[in-house]
Amino acid sequence: MRFVTKVVVALLLTAFAAMPVLAADHELAEKSTLNEILKRGELRVGLDAGYLPFEMTDKKGEIVGFDVDMAKEMAKAMGVKLKIVNTDYDGIIPALMSDKFDIIISGMTVNQERNLQINFADPYIVVGQAILLNKKHEGTIKSYKDLNDPKYTVASRIGTTGEQATKRMIPKAQYKSFEKESDGAMEVVNGQADAFVYDLPFNVVFMAQQGGKNLVLLDKVFTYEPLGFGIKKGDPDFLNWLDNFLAQIKNDGRYDDIYNKWIKGTEWLKDVQ
């Protein structure tokens, strides 16, 4: 009898000891951005509509692209409305931190510097830096290594991994930064820069738009760059949901449909040109 009493007491003490932990877990879940989204009935997505084919403005003035379709699937899975918040890329992380939106879905490369500020879900696509080259250098410049010379001018977009890769891997070249990808690429078309370093998907699309008259695409990527959904730190519930969402759509055909439409296909170009 005494043994049974001791067991009961031990179990009660264990239960009482666990109560603060359970309460803390419940409180953490209540504070999750995911919970706020469901209560609000709206998913707010931050992006910068200037990165083809991930996000851009079509002829009707609507923001479309790979990331937008991913966001639509995400909102549908949550059972909420979608709100796109167009934000300058160089201020997109501060905007997330100040609660201007719930999540960044904007072709953002996961790197250690950014990961110190925010958390990332598992990568939803992997890209890398490639080169748009002025045609006058065709055959002479065969990789980024050949551009590492003060006589060459290399362009990219400010605040991006294209800029980081240029400064790190092509440090001897003259560097020009631009606010928009298309402006930097046009600098090469116009002969004001020798090369433009940026993510391969954008360079492929820009090449298709401009044709091969003034440009050469060096499509062998020279960096490894996974793109991920960015959220505020301290939110394991939202992070868990995003990872499971991504795993689901990558295995039920929805992701393939989006990928084939925006990355493999070019039909959409007629609607944005």
Side-chain angles (χ1 to χ4, degrees):
M1 187 68 175
R2 289 179 181 176
F3 175 75
V4 174
T5 303
K6 287 180 180 180
V7 171
V8 172
V9 170
L11 289 172
L12 287 172
L13 288 173
T14 301
F16 285 129
M19 285 180 65
V21 176
L22 293 173
D25 287 346
H26 179 72
E27 187 179 341
L28 186 64
E30 282 292 313
K31 290 181 178 179
S32 172
T33 300
L34 181 61
N35 195 45
E36 293 175 9
I37 292 166
L38 297 177
K39 286 182 177 179
R40 190 193 310 129
E42 181 180 74
L43 170 66
R44 303 172 303 167
V45 172
L47 54 76
D48 183 357
Y51 178 27
L52 283 69
F54 291 93
E55 42 267 330
M56 59 240 157
T57 306
D58 67 11
K59 291 177 180 178
K60 298 177 182 178
E62 297 178 357
I63 298 175
V64 298
F66 184 98
D67 285 342
V68 177
D69 280 4
M70 290 289 284
K72 287 178 179 177
E73 288 296 331
M74 190 178 293
K76 190 185 298 182
M78 292 179 179
V80 299
K81 295 178 181 177
L82 174 65
K83 180 180 180 181
I84 298 295
V85 184
N86 198 10
T87 307
D88 287 338
Y89 200 78
D90 57 357
I92 202 166
I93 289 180
L96 172 70
M97 301 304 292
S98 59
D99 201 35
K100 295 293 191 299
F101 40 79
D102 306 306
I103 185 171
I104 297 172
I105 308 180
S106 191
M108 180 168 280
T109 303
V110 180
N111 62 29
Q112 287 72 48
E113 182 182 358
R114 289 172 179 155
N115 211 175
L116 291 172
Q117 303 174 69
I118 61 176
N119 279 350
F120 289 96
D122 291 339
Y124 62 92
I125 192 171
V126 175
V127 300
Q129 296 303 307
I131 297 169
L132 285 174
L133 187 69
N134 189 281
K135 203 169 182 74
K136 66 184 178 183
H137 298 302
E138 186 174 15
T140 303
I141 295 173
K142 299 178 181 179
S143 79
Y144 73 94
K145 295 177 182 178
D146 298 326
L147 287 167
N148 196 30
D149 191 301
K151 67 182 179 182
Y152 296 123
T153 298
V154 179
S156 191
R157 182 177 180 179
I158 190 170
T160 66
T161 51
E163 179 177 71
Q164 292 170 7
T166 302
K167 290 182 176 179
R168 185 178 74 254
M169 304 176 77
I170 319 175
K172 294 180 181 178
Q174 302 296 314
Y175 176 66
K176 279 179 141 182
S177 65
F178 291 85
E179 292 290 335
K180 297 296 180 184
E181 294 91 343
S182 54
D183 293 339
M186 283 304 299
E187 195 81 348
V188 180
V189 173
N190 297 329
Q192 302 302 309
D194 298 293
F196 176 72
V197 172
Y198 210 65
D199 295 350
L200 178 61
F202 173 86
N203 288 352
V204 169
V205 170
F206 192 85
M207 188 73 180
Q209 289 176 316
Q210 293 296 318
K213 184 179 179 182
N214 298 312
L215 292 174
V216 175
L217 174 62
L218 302 184
D219 61 357
K220 184 178 180 180
V221 297
F222 58 96
T223 61
Y224 167 78
E225 299 188 22
L227 308 186
F229 307 135
I231 65 172
K232 287 182 282 189
K233 283 186 173 292
D235 198 341
D237 291 292
F238 197 14
L239 201 61
N240 173 264
W241 190 91
L242 290 170
D243 286 341
N244 285 310
F245 162 77
L246 189 57
Q248 183 67 45
I249 67 167
K250 280 195 170 186
N251 286 282
D252 66 14
R254 285 179 288 168
Y255 181 89
D256 289 340
D257 290 342
I258 296 171
Y259 187 92
N260 291 336
K261 176 183 177 181
W262 296 105
I263 305 299
K264 286 188 173 181
T266 56
E267 268 299 303
W268 54 268
L269 277 170
K270 68 180 186 299
D271 297 320
V272 300
Q273 291 179 332

